[in-house]
């Protein structure tokens, strides 16, 4: 059973100041998880987590992770700028992008970030853009085909737009070495949101074997291996969470079996976790405002896909708790909907819940990553506030809700402010 980290009484008090909908994050849970990750990979002297900014781009939350030694994984200009603004610079930034505009490579180089190339053609593109090849450089690897653990297919890298082929990795390392690169990284993201302790160790074994061959055949010094993201979270209540300490131990065993005998015991392990770091520690809190009885039973809430796109975009499952009714029987079947002019604007379809009454608070679980971040403004809807439930029980506003003025602010040259009564 999933349990919300807020109660009906807490939300009733919070909404006196901050109306629903809003995202709220659990500082205590974030800190405990970051500490566990750090301990799980403490065996590796150079280990570093580069938090995937795309998952939850909020400086207040990034500042918490920085206390545990986390850097930033960035994929765009604004993510680089955000990282710089919170004081993350140099090789504490991993810039992993694709189809990358020149100005973004230039900005990453200016910050001294580690650049992770997505394609072999980007070697020349980067050199022309910034005038040199950095001494430390990384390449993203995509072996193609399917990625499987035991006999279970986890994902389909061969259908993904990212990364170098195996042959291109060897060619790319040789070219980069000739152009002055001295230290190399290998990066791969081969499966998304895996709820298994075997994913990272299996991926690590594959990358460690590749690293040994690359170093032997190209003479390149492999400085780090970036296992990227992919460690998932249990969105469904019946799923068991990953054990990060068991995962770290599995990677350690592969490291000692493959890299150490090859004289590569100085290789640092990097990770780029977003969902795992933040996902379970965020809730979208919304209020039931309408009920509709037609061909189905509908509960309309004051949030919509603008606040959480994953169910509409992927058909993704997010658990829902009706606050104050945690122990009531789930004997009513509802579609939980938002107000967008799109029929897929539903947080749940045919979901069994306790009887929902108007004014009830609904907590939509596991929105701490790829929740607010994926929001948009279709139908002129405005993005909600973000709050932080602090360890002492107080609540802080860490991003205000958008206003109509924000929505109209980019209409430069059209005197819209004097035509609207805000």
């Amino acid at each position: 059973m999933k349990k919300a980290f807020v109660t009906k009484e807490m939300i009733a008090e919070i909404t006196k100041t901050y109306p629903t909908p809003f995202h709220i994050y659990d500082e205590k849970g974030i800190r405990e998880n970051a500490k566990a990750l750090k301990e799980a990979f403490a065996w590796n002297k150079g280990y570093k987590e580069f938090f995937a900014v795309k998952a939850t781009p909020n400086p207040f939350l990034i500042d918490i992770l920085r206390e545990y030694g986390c850097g930033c994984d960035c994929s765009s200009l604004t993510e680089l700028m955000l990282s710089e603004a919170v004081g993350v610079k140099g090789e504490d930034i991993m810039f992993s992008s694709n189809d990358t505009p020149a100005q973004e490579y230039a900005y990453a180089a200016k910050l001294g970030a580690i650049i992770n190339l997505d394609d072999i053609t980007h070697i020349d593109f980067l050199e022309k853009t910034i005038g040199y090849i950095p001494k430390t450089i990384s390449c993203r690897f995509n072996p193609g085909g399917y990625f499987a653990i035991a006999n279970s297919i986890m994902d389909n890298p061969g259908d993904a737009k990212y990364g170098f082929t195996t042959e291109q990795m060897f060619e790319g390392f040789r070219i980069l070495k000739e152009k002055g690169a001295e230290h190399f990284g290998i990066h791969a993201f081969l499966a998304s949101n895996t709820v298994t302790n075997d994913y990272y160790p299996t991926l690590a074994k594959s990358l460690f074997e590749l690293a040994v061959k690359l170093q032997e055949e190209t003479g390149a010094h492999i400085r780090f291996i970036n296992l990227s993201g992919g460690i998932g979270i249990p969105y469904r209540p019946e799923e068991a969470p990953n054990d990060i300490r068991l995962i770290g131990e599995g990677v350690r065993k592969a490291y000692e079996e493959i890299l150490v005998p090859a004289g590569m015991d100085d290789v640092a392990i990097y990770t780029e976790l977003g969902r795992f770091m933040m996902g379970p520690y965020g809730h979208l809190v919304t209020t039931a405002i309408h009920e509709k009885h037609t061909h189905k039973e509908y509960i309309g809430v004051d949030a919509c896909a603008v606040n959480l796109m994953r169910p509409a975009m992927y058909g993704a499952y997010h658990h829902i708790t009706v606050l104050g009714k945690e122990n009531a029987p789930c004997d009513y079947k509802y579609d939980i909907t938002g107000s967008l002019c799109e029929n897929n604007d539903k947080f749940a379809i045919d979901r069994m819940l306790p009887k929902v009454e108007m004014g009830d608070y609904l907590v939509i679980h596991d929105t701490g990553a790829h929740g607010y971040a994926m929001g948009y403004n279709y139908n002129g809807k405005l993005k909600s506030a973000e709050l932080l439930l602090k360890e002492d029980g107080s609540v802080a506003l860490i991003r205000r809700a958008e206003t109509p003025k924000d929505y109209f602010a980019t209409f430069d040259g059209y005197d819209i402010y004097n035509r609207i009564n805000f």
Side-chain angles (χ1 to χ4, degrees):
M1 177 179 176
K2 278 185 173 287
K3 185 178 180 182
F5 57 76
V6 291
T7 64
K8 180 180 179 180
E9 292 72 25
M10 291 168 66
I11 295 302
E13 188 63 31
I14 291 168
T15 54
K16 292 177 182 178
T17 306
Y18 307 111
T20 59
F22 52 74
H23 287 272
I24 187 166
Y25 305 96
D26 177 22
E27 181 181 11
K28 182 174 183 289
I30 292 168
R31 288 185 178 278
E32 289 176 351
N33 191 51
K35 181 173 180 288
L37 174 68
K38 187 175 181 179
E39 291 172 353
F41 286 91
W43 56 266
N44 182 256
K45 187 176 180 180
Y47 173 74
K48 192 170 190 68
E49 157 63 13
F50 293 83
F51 171 65
V53 175
K54 65 178 74 68
T56 321
N58 190 299
F60 292 91
L61 301 179
I62 293 170
D63 274 342
I64 293 173
L65 297 181
R66 287 183 66 208
E67 294 181 33
Y68 298 87
C70 297
C72 289
D73 163 48
C74 300
S75 59
S76 70
L77 178 64
T78 49
E79 290 178 3
L80 288 167
M81 294 171 75
L82 176 58
S83 299
E84 181 185 21
V86 299
V88 180
K89 297 181 181 180
E91 293 195 354
D92 283 345
I93 298 174
M94 182 73 62
F95 184 57
S96 295
S97 182
N98 72 95
D99 192 21
T100 308
Q103 69 178 57
E104 300 193 4
Y105 273 143
Y107 203 90
K110 186 187 79 169
L111 295 181
I114 299 173
I115 292 174
N116 182 40
L117 298 174
D118 181 67
D119 185 70
I120 195 167
T121 65
H122 286 209
I123 296 173
D124 287 340
F125 185 81
L126 175 65
E127 186 175 35
K128 289 175 183 176
T129 297
I130 67 175
Y132 63 94
I133 291 296
K135 298 294 185 185
T136 298
I137 194 89
S138 179
C139 296
R140 181 168 182 166
F141 173 55
N142 182 339
Y146 290 91
F147 182 79
I149 296 176
N151 293 319
S152 299
I153 293 174
M154 305 301 293
D155 218 322
N156 181 10
D159 199 38
K161 65 176 180 174
Y162 309 105
F164 289 55
T165 67
T166 303
E167 295 77 14
Q168 288 172 344
M169 288 291 288
F170 286 85
E171 182 184 356
F173 271 41
R174 290 188 182 100
I175 294 170
L176 287 164
K177 195 165 181 284
E178 289 171 3
K179 290 180 178 292
E182 297 177 359
H183 307 289
F184 292 78
I186 302 171
H187 172 286
F189 183 96
L190 301 186
S192 180
N193 191 40
T194 62
V195 188
T196 167
N197 296 323
D198 294 329
Y199 169 62
Y200 251 20
T202 303
L203 172 64
K205 183 177 184 295
S206 175
L207 295 184
F208 294 166
E209 290 171 348
L210 175 64
V212 171
K213 291 178 183 177
L214 280 166
Q215 185 153 299
E216 287 176 351
E217 295 186 25
T218 69
H221 172 245
I222 311 296
R223 182 177 144 192
F224 64 84
I225 293 173
N226 189 336
L227 302 177
S228 188
I231 297 179
I233 61 174
Y235 285 101
R236 295 179 179 272
E238 66 270 18
E239 293 177 325
N242 285 316
D243 184 334
I244 195 61
R245 290 182 171 84
L246 193 61
I247 290 169
E249 177 63 14
V251 175
R252 183 192 66 78
K253 287 180 179 178
Y255 189 98
E256 293 187 351
E257 289 172 4
I258 299 166
L259 292 181
V260 173
M264 299 174 66
D265 56 353
D266 61 339
V267 174
I269 300 300
Y270 294 165
T271 55
E272 292 173 354
L273 299 168
R275 193 190 317 262
F276 178 80
M277 298 301 290
M278 289 288 182
Y281 313 110
H283 292 334
L284 173 59
V285 182
T286 183
T287 302
I289 59 173
H290 288 288
E291 55 184 325
K292 185 172 183 176
H293 315 286
T294 55
H295 304 291
K296 302 183 75 173
E297 294 295 302
Y298 296 96
I299 296 295
V301 296
D302 59 2
C304 63
V306 163
N307 310 105
L308 179 65
M309 189 193 291
R310 295 186 75 254
M313 187 175 184
Y314 304 126
Y317 180 95
H318 281 263
H319 198 64
I320 296 175
T321 295
V322 183
L323 291 182
K325 300 180 179 180
E326 289 86 349
N327 298 317
C330 295
D331 50 5
Y332 286 78
K333 183 187 291 186
Y334 298 113
D335 282 13
I336 307 298
T337 77
S339 59
L340 291 187
C341 298
E342 291 289 344
N343 194 48
N344 66 352
D345 182 22
K346 297 178 179 180
F347 295 113
I349 297 173
D350 294 333
R351 185 72 59 87
M352 299 304 296
L353 293 170
K355 181 174 175 55
V356 179
E357 297 169 288
M358 297 305 91
D360 278 349
Y361 297 120
L362 278 65
V363 159
I364 303 176
H365 290 252
D366 301 314
T367 68
H370 311 292
Y372 182 97
M374 294 178 72
Y376 58 117
N377 290 115
Y378 182 56
N379 278 176
K381 294 292 185 177
L382 304 174
K383 295 169 78 173
S384 56
E386 291 182 295
L387 310 178
L388 180 64
L389 175 62
K390 304 186 83 170
E391 287 187 295
D392 63 7
S394 64
V395 173
L397 178 68
I398 58 174
R399 191 197 305 254
R400 67 167 174 80
E402 287 183 337
T403 68
K405 280 191 174 183
D406 296 319
Y407 180 77
F408 293 118
T410 53
F411 292 119
D412 290 350
Y414 199 100
D415 190 20
I416 202 163
Y417 288 103
N418 292 325
R419 304 184 186 201
I420 299 175
N421 181 10
F422 287 106

